[in-house]
Amino acid sequence: GENVEQHPSTLSVQEGDSAVIKCTYSDSASNYFPWYKQELGKRPQLIIDIRSNVGEKKDQRIAVTLNKTAKHFSLHITETQPEDSAVYFCAASMETDSWGKFQFGAGTQVVVTP
Amino acid sequence: DSGVTQTPKHLITATGQRVTLRCSPRSGDLSVYWYQQSLDQGLQFLIQYYNGEERAKGNILERFSAQQFPDLHSELNLSSLELGDSALYFCASSVGQGKGEQYFGPGTRLTVT
């Protein structure tokens, strides 16, 4: 089955700096890669996703890149703000017409210090 | 608010007992997923249902079972509880059979003493 590794497990950045989180996956059939943000005591929420037919996607200060050959994808947060402090989870999924199963990474605790 | 509801919010029970966690998906969503999140752990996928049928299974223990009812709500049954089953259990829903965004409920905090 799919195995997703996520690094680093913790990341401390100064406000205004960039943060990068990297994930690798094992199943070359995976074709959907979402990123979820989980604030303390709250539910995970989707912040950005990418499918295997594109290499990069941006949404304001957040971007995700995908390298299918190397089987890794990354989350980039620019101009970090204190409200970016949270746990971020990557996931890999093989979407089909009949089923889809998510494999999440272990999470990255991001701390943005003012 | 994601539109996904879970009850109860908190549950405290003893080892060996059985509990049932309930989830109601967003209106219109046919897929329901269950996840376990232990302290300082990631999200472990347990099981997925689509329109009443089991579609995918993750690392779900034999002591755990789930079902999705005709009104699309789902229940996760945990039996012969052990201390290690203490965790936050999330339900999520999506429109399709596994495509696209999953909307997470607020979770049920299970404590086994």
Side-chain angles (χ1 to χ4, degrees), chain B residues 17-71:
Chain B
Q17 295 298 304
R18 172 190 170 95
V19 297
T20 298
L21 312 183
R22 183 187 169 102
C23 167
S24 292
R26 288 189 326 153
S27 176
D29 285 359
L30 300 178
S31 274
V32 169
Y33 311 77
W34 285 98
Y35 294 90
Q36 180 191 57
Q37 187 174 40
S38 302
L39 193 63
D40 295 332
Q41 295 287 318
L43 289 158
Q44 296 296 320
F45 169 73
L46 297 178
I47 198 164
Q48 180 211 346
Y49 281 83
Y50 175 78
N51 204 21
E53 294 186 9
E54 181 184 306
R55 286 298 190 188
K57 227 170 185 177
N59 299 321
I60 187 167
L61 300 172
E62 286 191 10
R63 300 183 286 109
F64 295 2
S65 65
Q67 54 184 328
Q68 186 180 29
F69 295 86
D71 68 352

Side-chain angles (χ1 to χ4, degrees), chain B residues 8-12 37-39 86-89 107-111:
Chain B
K9 192 171 182 178
H10 300 280
L11 196 50
I12 301 174
Q37 187 174 40
S38 302
L39 193 63
S86 296
L88 190 55
Y89 290 85
T108 292
R109 170 75 65 186
L110 173 66
T111 302

Side-chain angles (χ1 to χ4, degrees), chain A residues 46-88:
Chain A
L46 181 74
I47 55 171
I48 195 167
D49 57 11
I50 191 168
R51 288 183 166 82
S52 58
N53 57 343
V54 298
E56 183 176 1
K57 186 175 178 181
K58 287 183 180 180
D59 183 3
Q60 299 182 342
R61 297 187 295 108
I62 295 172
V64 57
T65 58
L66 172 65
N67 183 327
K68 287 188 294 182
T69 304
K71 289 190 284 189
H72 67 70
F73 55 111
S74 300
L75 178 72
H76 305 253
I77 307 173
T78 58
E79 300 173 20
T80 53
Q81 301 169 4
E83 52 264 38
D84 294 328
S85 296
V87 178
Y88 291 81

Side-chain angles (χ1 to χ4, degrees), chain A residues 3-112:
Chain A
N3 182 47
V4 177
E5 294 190 0
Q6 183 172 347
H7 299 279
S9 57
T10 58
L11 182 58
S12 292
V13 295
Q14 285 244 281
E15 183 177 358
D17 288 350
S18 295
V20 180
I21 305 170
K22 297 181 180 180
C23 288
T24 60
Y25 60 99
S26 60
D27 191 343
S28 57
S30 290
N31 57 8
Y32 176 61
F33 307 92
W35 286 88
Y36 284 79
K37 175 183 179 183
Q38 186 177 24
E39 297 177 5
L40 189 63
K42 296 190 176 180
R43 72 194 79 191
Q45 289 188 290
L46 181 74
I47 55 171
I48 195 167
D49 57 11
I50 191 168
R51 288 183 166 82
S52 58
N53 57 343
V54 298
E56 183 176 1
K57 186 175 178 181
K58 287 183 180 180
D59 183 3
Q60 299 182 342
R61 297 187 295 108
I62 295 172
V64 57
T65 58
L66 172 65
N67 183 327
K68 287 188 294 182
T69 304
K71 289 190 284 189
H72 67 70
F73 55 111
S74 300
L75 178 72
H76 305 253
I77 307 173
T78 58
E79 300 173 20
T80 53
Q81 301 169 4
E83 52 264 38
D84 294 328
S85 296
V87 178
Y88 291 81
F89 293 97
C90 64
S93 166
M94 185 175 73
E95 293 183 323
T96 70
D97 288 334
S98 60
W99 64 273
K101 183 172 68 175
F102 279 48
Q103 180 67 44
F104 280 86
T108 296
Q109 174 77 59
V110 173
V111 177
V112 180

